[in-house]
Amino acid sequence: MTSKHFNCTLCGRCCRASIPLGLAEALDYDSEFLLALVFSMETWNLGDFRKNRPAVPITHEELLTTLAFRKDKLATDQSRETVFQVGRVRSTGERVVTFLSVSACGLGDFEAGGAKCPALGSDETCTIYERRPLGCRVFPLDPLYPEMLQHVPLSALESRLPCDFSEKAPAILENGRLTRDQDRELLEARQEVIRRDSVFLPYYGMASASFHPMPSLSQVLLGIKGNGKMDVPFVPALTYLAASGQVSPERAETCLERQIALAGAAVGQALGRKDKAERARTNVLRNSLALMESFRGRIAQVADGLSSGAA
């Protein structure tokens, strides 16, 4: 088993992206982050492993272990058939596996052609560090991999980020085991959030017509085309959380109002900057704002009509 070392260098590079959040956890940040739903999809060719182009280098054996872990630990009985699908390539007969997940995210602020966390201060340090999201607390560990294979995503990070991975840094993984119980608890907590949120996928598959003109689940999968991500407005998550009893309809409505205010401010700021590079993003924000406004006062009504699929 491979051992790994890690120490944060306070470079802020890991904060130059959207912030991963659990669906219910997202409401803890709804007055600070403009929220979105993120559908993520990975497709693997098991018949001919050489045809895969993984974002994180991984061996065939490690992949099989990871897929078994995801099927068992990152889905429920209710969601497993949606999360984890096995099929065959029509032209070759090769077996392929698709893994689908969903989360919330706090959209990054637009700066110098890229995104950065809204909580990242001018001195490149976190302004909400003491109550930062679970996805930030678990970094650099990756909840899509079991503890024994955390060296796989850690090795990928070594080539991308200026964190200290040298042997002078504290050991984070030794012989396939995390060295600190605290890290293990955070990893398992984030994995449980992914497992619990996976139930949203069959819910959205059933309920997507209620959120027109948003894409259906099948349209989302076609849009991702096997590997990648798609961001959509957060509104369906609010109705799901209310329908499943995770939050009250009143709390969901409060979140919606806060998000409308944030989206309106973001559109106004983007228009004021008159940056052509932001044009596509601004149009997406406008469309999202219009959708959110159309659901004002309707969260409880829609949730009641869809409550059976969220149970």
Side-chain angles (χ1 to χ4, degrees):
M1 293 287 184
T2 304
S3 296
K4 288 292 180 182
H5 296 252
F6 174 80
N7 194 35
C8 177
T9 58
L10 301 178
C11 69
R13 286 277 296 277
C14 60
C15 306
R16 295 280 171 181
S18 298
I19 311 305
L21 300 164
L23 298 184
E25 179 191 24
L27 274 67
D28 294 335
Y29 303 92
D30 62 0
S31 61
E32 299 159 293
F33 296 160
L34 185 57
L35 303 173
L37 273 172
V38 183
F39 294 95
S40 302
M41 185 178 182
E42 292 181 14
T43 301
W44 297 91
N45 189 318
L46 300 184
D48 188 348
F49 186 72
R50 296 169 300 176
K51 293 183 178 180
N52 295 307
R53 297 291 182 269
V56 175
I58 191 170
T59 68
H60 196 177
E61 182 179 352
E62 290 169 342
L63 172 62
L64 293 178
T65 301
T66 297
L67 292 176
F69 161 79
R70 294 178 183 181
K71 183 178 181 180
D72 183 43
K73 299 297 185 182
L74 300 186
T76 69
D77 291 343
Q78 186 178 350
S79 65
R80 191 163 287 114
E81 289 185 3
T82 306
V83 169
F84 197 87
Q85 299 183 24
V86 180
R88 293 190 180 274
V89 179
R90 187 174 301 175
S91 59
T92 64
E94 294 164 346
R95 195 159 71 106
V96 294
V97 169
T98 295
F99 173 74
L100 180 65
S101 62
V102 66
S103 67
C105 79
L107 295 176
D109 289 340
F110 194 82
E111 181 183 90
K116 74 157 193 167
C117 175
L120 189 64
S122 58
D123 61 352
E124 298 294 303
T125 61
C126 180
T127 59
I128 60 168
Y129 187 81
E130 294 303 321
R131 62 180 191 89
R132 65 197 185 281
L134 180 58
C136 300
R137 292 178 184 275
V138 77
F139 185 85
L141 306 176
D142 190 328
L144 296 183
Y145 295 83
E147 178 181 351
M148 64 182 291
L149 292 182
Q150 284 299 313
H151 65 275
V152 173
L154 285 169
S155 294
L157 285 178
E158 284 188 59
S159 61
R160 291 172 34 215
L161 296 177
C163 311
D164 185 2
F165 292 99
S166 72
E167 293 188 359
K168 295 180 180 179
I172 190 172
L173 188 75
E174 290 183 345
N175 298 318
R177 293 280 293 173
L178 293 170
T179 58
R180 299 197 309 169
D181 290 340
Q182 178 184 0
D183 290 336
R184 183 176 300 106
E185 291 169 0
L186 288 171
L187 181 64
E188 291 174 351
R190 182 73 180 114
Q191 289 165 344
E192 173 58 21
V193 168
I194 294 172
R195 188 193 71 83
R196 185 177 65 243
D197 286 349
S198 70
V199 179
F200 173 82
L201 292 167
Y203 168 85
Y204 187 70
M206 176 198 71
S208 57
S210 299
F211 306 106
H212 182 77
M214 287 182 59
S216 66
L217 185 60
S218 60
Q219 289 171 330
V220 168
L221 302 185
L222 287 173
I224 295 176
K225 297 179 180 178
N227 290 281
K229 298 183 178 183
M230 180 182 290
D231 296 357
V232 301
F234 192 65
V235 169
L238 291 176
T239 66
Y240 166 74
L241 292 170
S244 61
Q246 296 185 56
V247 302
S248 68
E250 293 78 15
R251 179 64 184 91
E253 288 283 0
T254 298
C255 176
L256 181 63
E257 289 298 327
R258 291 173 176 174
Q259 289 297 292
I260 288 172
L262 287 175
V267 169
Q269 292 166 5
L271 293 175
R273 287 190 291 266
K274 298 179 180 180
D275 186 344
K276 291 182 179 180
E278 286 191 77
R279 188 170 297 169
R281 180 177 183 269
T282 303
N283 287 335
V284 170
L285 286 174
R286 277 174 158 171
N287 293 336
S288 178
L289 178 59
L291 179 75
M292 287 190 286
E293 289 175 334
S294 74
F295 273 83
R296 264 185 166 141
R298 296 178 53 217
I299 296 292
Q301 176 188 352
V302 176
D304 285 344
L306 300 171
S307 59
S308 61

